[in-house]
Amino acid sequence: CKGAERKALALAEQAYSLTRLGPKCHTLGILKSREALKEGFEKVRVELNYGLALILERSLDPLNYMDNKCFDPIAYYTEARQCLDIVICSGKIEFCGKGLVLL
């Protein structure tokens, strides 16, 4: 693993951990996932997109954002859909099925 790869993996792990802390931490988890994707670690690009889609999907629960008038569920859904398109079209069979289920 090179420096950028390690950083991407660390960010992805942080993002996952944040989602386990509850809805108030989802936004920070999303930011960490986006940052991991920007690192350009092609080897796990599909996995990172799947992880981001999962966090975005969890954030779409109305109970999580009812009090936030600035929340844009359409933007979150659109981004999740884009991530899942990458996952489904990747050819990685173990993630294609998961991506289709999440859609």
Side-chain angles (χ1 to χ4, degrees), residues 3-91:
E5 293 171 354
R6 287 184 182 156
K7 183 177 179 184
L9 290 174
L11 288 166
E13 289 295 330
Q14 288 175 350
Y16 173 79
S17 297
L18 286 163
T19 66
R20 307 322 300 161
L21 297 174
K24 293 185 183 223
C25 295
H26 286 176
T27 301
L28 187 54
I30 290 167
L31 293 175
K32 295 279 184 182
S33 284
R34 288 175 182 155
E35 191 176 343
L37 278 165
K38 285 180 185 173
E39 289 298 319
F41 188 24
E42 191 62 33
K43 194 174 186 180
V44 291
R45 183 172 156 256
V46 172
E47 292 85 345
L48 293 174
N49 273 286
Y50 180 74
L52 177 55
L54 277 175
I55 301 170
L56 291 164
E57 188 270 335
R58 287 184 185 131
S59 299
L60 287 171
D61 182 341
L63 295 175
N64 295 339
Y65 67 81
M66 279 183 10
D67 297 333
N68 183 354
K69 294 180 182 181
C70 297
F71 184 81
D72 183 4
I74 294 172
Y76 273 48
Y77 173 80
T78 302
E79 185 176 1
R81 178 67 194 244
Q82 290 169 347
C83 290
L84 290 172
D85 285 343
I86 291 167
V87 171
I88 292 165
C89 296
S90 71

